[in-house]
Structures are given as C-alpha cells and as structure tokens.
Amino acid sequence: MASNLKVHMLRLLPGQEVSSALEEYVRRHAPRGAFVMTCCGSVTHATLRLAANANGETNKIESYNQHFEVLSLSGTLSQGGSHLHICLSDHEGRTIGGHVMGDLTVFTTMEVALGEPLDLTLDRAFDSSTGFPELTIAKDTQVAEKDEKDA
C-alpha cells in the first residue's frame, strides 16, 4: 500500500534502552505507527532471539555484554508493540544479528530515522498460523479521500 510519509529524527543518549525509547516515542508522536528507515550508533548490551538452526531449534535467546557498532536496525513500531531486528559488529568486525528482545542499551549515541505513514495505521494482532502478534495495516480512508480531492 502506498502512503504519504512523515519523517521523525531521534538521537538516543548513553544508557537508554532502545526498544522502550522508540516505543515510547511512537506512542507520543506517531500514533499511526512507524517503521525504522535508518539507524547508526553503538550499544553496550543486547538481548537477541536468534534464527532457527538446521535442527529446527527456534527461539534461542542470547545476551551480549560488550560494545558493538550498530550496522542496521529495521522493523515496525505501533501502539500494539514492535518488531525489530538488528545487525551488530564487534571490535574485530564480526557480526551478529537477530530479533531485538530488549536490553539494547546505547553506548555513546543512537541516531534513528523513523517513517510515519500518514494515511495508514500499523498495529499488531495475534496470528494463529505463526503464533506471534503480526503486523496489520489499515488504510485511513478519510486521509486517502482528502488526498484524492487535493490532487
């Protein structure tokens, strides 16, 4: 679905927990929800859920207590929750990544650009086929009709 877009720029400070800070920002400033456009920064702690392995084991959660550079952060944030994935690099350039479970703590800075769709509402609803709350997208017909009249 195409959408009009508002961009929000944030800088998180040392010691802030990234997930909760972004969720709180969206609750206050982007009520329709938002998605991560770009992010760079550094963290001192991360708790990630890793991808399933070759044996089919899923939901392995690992915590890391070291300095990492953030190479990428992606995902969606809504009033109903968030879904964030991250890729991190250590002091030797090795990377790890996974689903952000929290405890993602800013080291020096975290610069984030969020995109807010102005005529869509993002939310989350339980999906019995996956067992997780999954993204839902609703078109705001009043905004869409106004845009068509203005065109």
Side-chain angles (χ1 to χ4, degrees), residues 30-59:
R32 288 187 173 92
F35 58 93
V36 179
M37 298 176 71
T38 190
C39 172
C40 63
S42 58
V43 297
T44 59
H45 183 84
T47 300
L48 308 177
R49 186 180 71 222
L50 307 179
N53 66 20
N55 299 325
E57 295 175 88
T58 60
N59 297 327

Short mmCIF file of all heavy atoms in Angstrom, two decimals, residues 30-59:
data_model
loop_
_atom_site.label_atom_id
_atom_site.label_comp_id
_atom_site.label_asym_id
_atom_site.label_seq_id
_atom_site.Cartn_x
_atom_site.Cartn_y
_atom_site.Cartn_z
N ALA A 30 3.83 9.41 17.03
CA ALA A 30 3.47 8.77 15.76
C ALA A 30 2.36 7.75 16.02
O ALA A 30 2.56 6.55 15.92
CB ALA A 30 4.69 8.11 15.13
N PRO A 31 1.16 8.24 16.37
CA PRO A 31 0.09 7.34 16.81
C PRO A 31 -0.36 6.31 15.78
O PRO A 31 -0.91 5.28 16.15
CB PRO A 31 -1.05 8.30 17.18
CG PRO A 31 -0.75 9.56 16.46
CD PRO A 31 0.75 9.64 16.37
N ARG A 32 -0.09 6.55 14.51
CA ARG A 32 -0.45 5.57 13.48
C ARG A 32 0.60 4.46 13.36
O ARG A 32 0.42 3.51 12.62
CB ARG A 32 -0.61 6.25 12.13
CG ARG A 32 -1.83 7.11 12.01
CD ARG A 32 -1.96 7.60 10.56
NE ARG A 32 -3.21 8.29 10.38
CZ ARG A 32 -3.36 9.60 10.54
NH1 ARG A 32 -2.34 10.35 10.89
NH2 ARG A 32 -4.53 10.15 10.34
N GLY A 33 1.71 4.62 14.06
CA GLY A 33 2.79 3.64 13.96
C GLY A 33 3.92 4.20 13.11
O GLY A 33 3.80 5.26 12.49
N ALA A 34 5.03 3.48 13.09
CA ALA A 34 6.21 3.93 12.34
C ALA A 34 7.06 2.73 11.97
O ALA A 34 6.87 1.63 12.48
CB ALA A 34 7.02 4.92 13.19
N PHE A 35 8.01 2.99 11.07
CA PHE A 35 8.98 1.97 10.70
C PHE A 35 10.37 2.60 10.73
O PHE A 35 10.51 3.81 10.53
CB PHE A 35 8.67 1.35 9.33
CG PHE A 35 8.62 2.36 8.21
CD1 PHE A 35 9.75 2.64 7.46
CD2 PHE A 35 7.44 3.03 7.93
CE1 PHE A 35 9.71 3.57 6.44
CE2 PHE A 35 7.39 3.97 6.90
CZ PHE A 35 8.53 4.24 6.16
N VAL A 36 11.38 1.79 10.98
CA VAL A 36 12.75 2.29 11.04
C VAL A 36 13.27 2.46 9.61
O VAL A 36 13.27 1.51 8.82
CB VAL A 36 13.66 1.33 11.83
CG1 VAL A 36 15.09 1.86 11.86
CG2 VAL A 36 13.13 1.12 13.24
N MET A 37 13.70 3.67 9.29
CA MET A 37 14.25 3.96 7.97
C MET A 37 15.75 3.73 7.95
O MET A 37 16.29 3.17 7.00
CB MET A 37 13.92 5.40 7.56
CG MET A 37 12.43 5.65 7.45
SD MET A 37 12.04 7.37 7.08
CE MET A 37 12.58 7.46 5.37
N THR A 38 16.43 4.21 8.97
CA THR A 38 17.87 4.02 9.10
C THR A 38 18.26 4.22 10.55
O THR A 38 17.53 4.84 11.32
CB THR A 38 18.66 4.98 8.17
OG1 THR A 38 20.04 4.60 8.16
CG2 THR A 38 18.53 6.42 8.62
N CYS A 39 19.42 3.68 10.90
CA CYS A 39 19.89 3.79 12.28
C CYS A 39 21.39 3.54 12.30
O CYS A 39 21.90 2.65 11.60
CB CYS A 39 19.19 2.75 13.15
SG CYS A 39 19.85 2.64 14.82
N CYS A 40 22.11 4.31 13.09
CA CYS A 40 23.50 4.01 13.37
C CYS A 40 23.80 4.45 14.79
O CYS A 40 23.13 5.32 15.34
CB CYS A 40 24.45 4.65 12.36
SG CYS A 40 24.43 6.44 12.35
N GLY A 41 24.78 3.81 15.38
CA GLY A 41 25.12 4.12 16.76
C GLY A 41 25.92 2.99 17.36
O GLY A 41 26.53 2.19 16.65
N SER A 42 25.89 2.92 18.68
CA SER A 42 26.64 1.88 19.37
C SER A 42 25.87 1.45 20.61
O SER A 42 25.09 2.22 21.17
CB SER A 42 28.04 2.40 19.75
OG SER A 42 27.93 3.56 20.57
N VAL A 43 26.09 0.20 21.01
CA VAL A 43 25.42 -0.35 22.19
C VAL A 43 26.44 -1.08 23.07
O VAL A 43 27.52 -1.46 22.61
CB VAL A 43 24.28 -1.32 21.80
CG1 VAL A 43 23.19 -0.59 21.03
CG2 VAL A 43 24.78 -2.51 21.02
N THR A 44 26.07 -1.23 24.34
CA THR A 44 26.92 -1.96 25.29
C THR A 44 26.30 -3.28 25.71
O THR A 44 26.96 -4.10 26.33
CB THR A 44 27.15 -1.13 26.58
OG1 THR A 44 25.89 -0.85 27.18
CG2 THR A 44 27.89 0.15 26.28
N HIS A 45 25.04 -3.47 25.39
CA HIS A 45 24.34 -4.69 25.78
C HIS A 45 23.25 -4.96 24.76
O HIS A 45 22.62 -4.03 24.27
CB HIS A 45 23.74 -4.55 27.17
CG HIS A 45 23.07 -5.80 27.66
ND1 HIS A 45 23.77 -6.82 28.26
CD2 HIS A 45 21.79 -6.21 27.61
CE1 HIS A 45 22.93 -7.80 28.56
NE2 HIS A 45 21.72 -7.44 28.17
N ALA A 46 23.03 -6.23 24.46
CA ALA A 46 21.94 -6.60 23.55
C ALA A 46 21.42 -7.99 23.93
O ALA A 46 22.21 -8.89 24.23
CB ALA A 46 22.44 -6.62 22.11
N THR A 47 20.11 -8.14 23.92
CA THR A 47 19.49 -9.45 24.08
C THR A 47 18.71 -9.72 22.80
O THR A 47 17.83 -8.94 22.42
CB THR A 47 18.55 -9.49 25.30
OG1 THR A 47 19.33 -9.21 26.47
CG2 THR A 47 17.91 -10.86 25.46
N LEU A 48 19.10 -10.81 22.12
CA LEU A 48 18.55 -11.14 20.81
C LEU A 48 17.98 -12.54 20.77
O LEU A 48 18.52 -13.45 21.40
CB LEU A 48 19.64 -11.04 19.74
CG LEU A 48 20.47 -9.76 19.67
CD1 LEU A 48 21.54 -9.89 18.61
CD2 LEU A 48 19.57 -8.57 19.39
N ARG A 49 16.90 -12.71 20.01
CA ARG A 49 16.42 -14.04 19.69
C ARG A 49 17.02 -14.38 18.34
O ARG A 49 16.86 -13.66 17.36
CB ARG A 49 14.89 -14.09 19.62
CG ARG A 49 14.36 -15.52 19.42
CD ARG A 49 12.85 -15.57 19.36
NE ARG A 49 12.42 -14.98 18.10
CZ ARG A 49 11.38 -14.15 17.98
NH1 ARG A 49 10.68 -13.78 19.04
NH2 ARG A 49 11.05 -13.67 16.80
N LEU A 50 17.73 -15.50 18.29
CA LEU A 50 18.45 -15.89 17.08
C LEU A 50 17.56 -16.67 16.13
O LEU A 50 16.53 -17.22 16.53
CB LEU A 50 19.68 -16.70 17.47
CG LEU A 50 20.61 -16.02 18.50
CD1 LEU A 50 21.78 -16.92 18.82
CD2 LEU A 50 21.08 -14.66 18.01
N ALA A 51 18.00 -16.78 14.89
CA ALA A 51 17.26 -17.53 13.88
C ALA A 51 17.27 -19.02 14.22
O ALA A 51 18.14 -19.50 14.95
CB ALA A 51 17.91 -17.31 12.50
N ALA A 52 16.29 -19.74 13.67
CA ALA A 52 16.24 -21.20 13.86
C ALA A 52 17.50 -21.83 13.26
O ALA A 52 18.04 -21.35 12.26
CB ALA A 52 15.00 -21.77 13.19
N ASN A 53 17.98 -22.92 13.87
CA ASN A 53 19.16 -23.58 13.33
C ASN A 53 18.76 -24.75 12.43
O ASN A 53 17.57 -25.01 12.21
CB ASN A 53 20.10 -24.04 14.47
CG ASN A 53 19.50 -25.12 15.33
OD1 ASN A 53 18.58 -25.82 14.95
ND2 ASN A 53 20.04 -25.27 16.54
N ALA A 54 19.73 -25.47 11.90
CA ALA A 54 19.49 -26.56 10.96
C ALA A 54 18.67 -27.69 11.58
O ALA A 54 18.01 -28.45 10.86
CB ALA A 54 20.81 -27.10 10.43
N ASN A 55 18.70 -27.82 12.90
CA ASN A 55 17.91 -28.86 13.58
C ASN A 55 16.49 -28.41 13.87
O ASN A 55 15.73 -29.14 14.50
CB ASN A 55 18.59 -29.27 14.89
CG ASN A 55 19.97 -29.84 14.66
OD1 ASN A 55 20.20 -30.51 13.66
ND2 ASN A 55 20.88 -29.57 15.57
N GLY A 56 16.15 -27.21 13.45
CA GLY A 56 14.80 -26.69 13.67
C GLY A 56 14.59 -26.06 15.03
O GLY A 56 13.46 -25.70 15.37
N GLU A 57 15.65 -25.93 15.82
CA GLU A 57 15.51 -25.28 17.13
C GLU A 57 15.26 -23.79 16.93
O GLU A 57 15.96 -23.13 16.18
CB GLU A 57 16.78 -25.48 17.95
CG GLU A 57 17.07 -26.92 18.31
CD GLU A 57 18.39 -27.05 19.02
OE1 GLU A 57 18.41 -26.92 20.26
OE2 GLU A 57 19.40 -27.27 18.32
N THR A 58 14.24 -23.29 17.61
CA THR A 58 13.87 -21.88 17.47
C THR A 58 13.85 -21.21 18.84
O THR A 58 13.91 -21.86 19.87
CB THR A 58 12.47 -21.73 16.85
OG1 THR A 58 11.52 -22.38 17.70
CG2 THR A 58 12.41 -22.34 15.46
N ASN A 59 13.77 -19.90 18.78
CA ASN A 59 13.61 -19.06 19.97
C ASN A 59 14.77 -19.11 20.94
O ASN A 59 14.60 -18.88 22.14
CB ASN A 59 12.29 -19.38 20.69
CG ASN A 59 11.09 -19.08 19.81
OD1 ASN A 59 11.11 -18.16 19.02
ND2 ASN A 59 10.06 -19.87 19.95
#
